[in-house]
Amino acid sequence: QVQVEESGGGLVQPGGSLRLSCTASGNIHSIDRMGWWRQAPGKQRELVAIIISSGRTNYADFVKGQFTISRDSANTLYLQMNSLKPEDTAIYYCGMIAGSMYWGQGTQVTVSP
């Protein structure tokens, strides 16, 4: 079992930045991929960025050059979001893949003047 907790969401003006954090606990040594997803109102959850155990990263086309995923340990993940736009408004979820998928509770990001 892996427990996941996100933090760092909030309200930001267009063009602003936010940094999301995610910490996993429990059986963290079984984690081989970790990433960020988001779900906007009325839409399906979509992948934003993912990092695998080797350190290789993949980004959704809509955030390339705007968001950066990183980690500083086996259980801590970040998402640096720059040049935020209103369409980036969503609940952002951290996901840890360790055989099964483990989700955090989500953190709200609202981009509005």
Side-chain angles (χ1 to χ4, degrees), residues 6 12 31:
E6 308 98 335
V12 63
I31 297 171

Side-chain angles (χ1 to χ4, degrees), residues 6-95:
E6 308 98 335
S7 62
L11 174 64
V12 63
Q13 292 186 341
S17 298
L18 279 175
R19 189 193 197 202
L20 305 182
S21 300
C22 173
T23 301
S25 59
N27 190 18
I28 62 171
H29 299 293
S30 64
I31 297 171
D32 60 12
R33 282 168 288 169
M34 51 181 74
W36 293 95
W37 283 254
R38 72 184 187 186
Q39 188 167 16
K43 295 187 177 181
Q44 291 187 331
R45 192 173 299 189
E46 59 185 358
L47 175 67
V48 174
I50 195 165
I51 186 167
I52 63 174
S53 56
S54 67
R56 186 167 64 93
T57 58
N58 280 307
Y59 293 90
D61 287 343
F62 56 79
V63 298
K64 285 182 179 177
Q66 182 187 358
F67 293 1
T68 303
I69 190 171
S70 63
R71 66 182 183 191
D72 66 3
S73 68
N75 69 327
T76 305
L77 184 69
Y78 303 100
L79 185 69
Q80 178 66 43
M81 305 186 294
N82 298 326
S83 303
L84 284 162
K85 299 170 281 191
E87 52 263 44
D88 294 316
T89 295
I91 299 173
Y92 284 71
Y93 295 92
C94 177

